[in-house]
Amino acid sequence: MMQVLSVASEAYPLVKTGGLGDVVGALPGALSGHGIMVTTLLPGYPAVRAHIGDAPLVHHYPNLMGAEARILASYINGFPLLVLDAPALFQRDGGPYGDRSGADWPDNWRRFAALGRAGADLASGAIPNWRFDLLHAHDWHAGLAPAYLSYAPGPGAAAPSLMTIHNIAFQGRFDISIFPFLGLPPRAYTIDGVEYYNGVGFLKAGLASAQAITAVSPGYAREIREPAFGMGMEGLIRTRGGAVSGILNGIDPKIWNPQSDAALAARYDSHNLAMRRTNKRAIESGFGLTQGDGPLFTVISRLSWQKGMDVLAEQLDTLVALGGRLALLGTGDRPLEAKFRAAAGRHPGRIAVALGYDEKLSHLLQGGADAILIPSRFEPCGLTQLYGLAYGCVPVAARTGGLGDTIIDANEAALAQGVATGILFDGVSNESLANALQRTVSLYARRDAWSKMQVQGMAADFSWHQSGARYAELYTRLVQGRADLKT
Ligand code: ADP
């Protein structure tokens, strides 16, 4: 059986700040049917340590990037889990990347260099009794793992590596002064290695060193070749050419299925959509919204520039004027939180916000709201539109990255042919968003067309079925040493 080591900073349900966690958590299950065993390596954050309890020791590092560390073996979702337990680096109050105030930990380079080193050691046979056929690194937190494999492997044969970009905006870029502490040879500090704009780039290192690169949608894989989306990496992405491909994220039907979702007030399928009304009432009463004829919109999002939340905040008066209501769940930039709070104050009963992170509430919102707004300026894959599709909560989204790959816009042709699943708009501006809101409200009034759209979205298969097969093919090619063959 092929053994893959998946190295990441997040994996649902132990650590999740966004889609990365969902995807890393789902990957082992997605690949198990293909005869591939995925072992996940995670940092020993407090929640991870609490989950594993007294786990067997795999390896002891007296000094890993200046900290004592151990690798411990356990399980996540029934699949093997390795935990890099380094209390000085990971046992902290706050989030995975920063303290409670939101400020990044100043030693993030050291924390994630340690993760990369441990990943590379496991994947190069440096740790007795452990071997892997392939290393799969996710995002910048794991970006040094392929670089260590390439420049400073352990004593065994280094496994090939795959670098997946979940979001190229997060790059792990640090001052050049950290380089001597990374334990990489001087020749790694080049444009083909870890050097990035006169500093060290962790994601850059992974993209330059891995045998293959995937982005989390075909659309995003194309977009990051351009400066507007590549954010400084576009040249490298182009240089890597055929080694770069896009594989859509899937959703886990055990967690996201309206027929069995315990977080819903009422469960349903596409044959009894009327049951959604019970969930809608639960949202209305929970959020203090009045009932109304217009659509109930939801937002479940990080409140950030990437997500276009600044533009949405400016269009809330429009949304209300059109007869819509909004239940928003999100956290993020403080000024944006204040804007949404102010809009809720201006429009009591019409706009309500829950500023926080609430997994359970996110399910209820998908199960009861009519439409989910996703005005992202860029969206590598996006999961909330996939959950929306599965739950009959129609996505209203910007045509970018994975949003454009997964939603079929309700233009008249698509409506006539019965294939529309959502509403897409081009470019994130006050005008385009206002227009999309207007289109949504009009379509919502055409009840038959609307419910057809819901049913079509629910029938779309975005489970891991297809994407798991794509990863399995790519893994197999990499292990057989044929990485450079274009997909
Ligand atoms: P990103 O990873 O860029 O934040 P995705 O759409 O890929 O965006 O994934 C976001 C994930 O986080 C989804 O599972 C979504 O439901 C969840 N999420 C985002 N904000 C919240 C929140 N405030 N409460 C609960 N879940 C949230």
Side-chain angles (χ1 to χ4, degrees):
M1 183 178 252
M2 188 194 296
Q3 299 287 339
V4 173
L5 180 67
S6 169
V7 184
S9 168
E10 302 185 23
Y12 181 86
L14 300 182
V15 210
K16 168 177 165 179
T17 69
L20 171 69
D22 284 338
V23 174
V24 175
L27 210 52
L31 272 306
S32 65
H34 298 275
I36 296 172
M37 180 61 82
V38 177
T39 298
T40 308
L41 173 66
L42 282 181
Y45 300 124
V48 178
R49 282 296 284 119
H51 164 81
I52 65 172
D54 285 330
L57 179 72
V58 168
H59 188 68
H60 176 240
Y61 290 101
N63 181 346
L64 177 66
M65 302 293 155
E68 185 174 4
R70 299 175 303 161
I71 298 175
L72 306 172
S74 185
Y75 291 92
I76 179 169
N77 305 323
F79 294 99
L81 171 72
L82 293 170
V83 172
L84 181 61
D85 180 36
L89 302 179
F90 301 121
Q91 280 286 335
R92 298 178 185 179
D93 248 14
Y97 314 116
D99 62 21
R100 287 193 183 286
S101 77
D104 281 354
W105 300 115
D107 58 348
N108 271 348
W109 68 268
R110 188 190 298 277
R111 301 169 76 229
F112 295 108
L115 181 67
R117 182 70 260 179
D121 288 345
L122 284 159
S124 62
I127 294 176
N129 303 322
W130 288 79
R131 57 165 283 278
F132 289 93
D133 300 301
L134 178 80
L135 182 142
H136 186 172
H138 301 271
D139 272 358
W140 76 264
H141 323 104
L144 279 196
Y148 282 125
L149 278 183
S150 165
Y151 289 100
S161 53
L162 167 64
M163 182 82 228
T164 291
I165 304 165
H166 296 261
N167 194 332
I168 212 165
F170 302 121
Q171 304 190 337
R173 191 169 161 186
F174 301 100
D175 193 80
I176 184 181
S177 59
I178 71 161
F179 182 75
F181 302 100
L182 295 177
L184 285 164
R187 71 189 166 85
Y189 191 75
T190 64
I191 192 162
D192 297 324
V194 306
E195 189 275 336
Y196 186 54
Y197 294 104
N198 299 319
V200 175
F202 279 32
L203 178 60
K204 151 75 201 304
L207 295 176
S209 308
Q211 273 68 39
I213 297 167
T214 57
V216 288
S217 69
Y220 194 57
R222 278 193 306 276
E223 287 172 347
I224 56 176
R225 298 168 58 86
E226 307 302 327
F229 293 94
M231 306 201 160
M233 304 278 189
E234 59 277 3
L236 175 58
I237 296 292
R238 285 188 197 192
T239 306
R240 297 293 326 255
V244 185
S245 60
I247 302 179
L248 272 180
N249 290 334
I251 68 176
D252 187 340
K254 285 201 290 296
I255 301 166
W256 291 97
N257 180 348
Q259 293 179 57
S260 55
D261 192 331
L264 299 181
R267 281 157 284 284
Y268 58 93
D269 60 25
S270 59
H271 302 293
N272 53 14
L273 280 172
M275 298 294 287
R276 297 183 88 256
R277 187 164 308 147
T278 307
N279 297 321
K280 193 183 216 177
R281 294 291 171 260
I283 297 168
E284 286 163 349
S285 72
F287 277 78
L289 291 167
T290 51
Q291 294 182 17
D293 292 334
L296 172 61
F297 290 95
T298 189
V299 166
I300 304 161
S301 184
R302 291 187 285 119
L303 302 180
S304 69
W305 182 87
Q306 176 198 336
K307 303 290 182 179
M309 287 295 134
D310 49 327
V311 179
L312 177 62
E314 302 220 325
Q315 287 307 313
L316 294 177
D317 296 348
T318 312
L319 183 152
V320 170
L322 287 166
R325 290 164 298 142
L326 171 68
L328 173 143
L329 169 62
T331 73
D333 301 351
R334 299 288 183 267
L336 283 172
E337 294 192 354
K339 276 194 178 175
F340 284 108
R341 213 182 280 119
R346 280 200 307 282
H347 300 289
R350 310 301 299 273
I351 290 184
V353 297
L355 298 177
Y357 193 94
D358 188 334
E359 194 74 30
K360 193 166 175 239
L361 182 55
S362 75
H363 286 244
L364 179 67
L365 288 166
Q366 297 277 15
D370 298 301
I372 179 161
L373 285 167
I374 316 171
S376 304
R377 287 191 169 86
F378 63 96
E379 195 57 79
C381 176
L383 289 172
T384 59
Q385 86 280 15
L386 300 182
Y387 302 146
L389 290 169
Y391 278 62
C393 183
V394 174
V396 178
R399 194 193 310 272
T400 184
L403 297 171
D405 284 342
T406 54
I407 299 166
I408 300 177
D409 178 56
N411 61 35
E412 289 304 326
L415 286 171
Q417 288 170 37
V419 295
T421 59
I423 286 149
L424 288 172
F425 57 95
D426 292 290
V428 179
S429 66
N430 282 310
E431 207 181 351
S432 65
L433 181 57
N435 193 272
L437 291 170
Q438 171 70 63
R439 280 184 69 206
T440 307
V441 169
S442 310
L443 253 174
Y444 184 71
R446 293 163 64 183
R447 287 306 158 94
D448 282 355
W450 186 268
S451 51
K452 234 173 132 186
M453 205 159 59
Q454 289 178 292
V455 171
Q456 280 146 203
M458 292 173 83
D461 179 11
F462 290 110
S463 68
W464 275 100
H465 190 70
Q466 293 180 35
S467 299
R470 296 283 322 278
Y471 275 115
E473 282 163 27
L474 180 55
Y475 285 176
T476 304
R477 280 212 317 276
L478 286 163
V479 170
Q480 292 173 351
R482 292 188 285 123
D484 49 342
L485 290 186
K486 201 165 161 23
T487 38

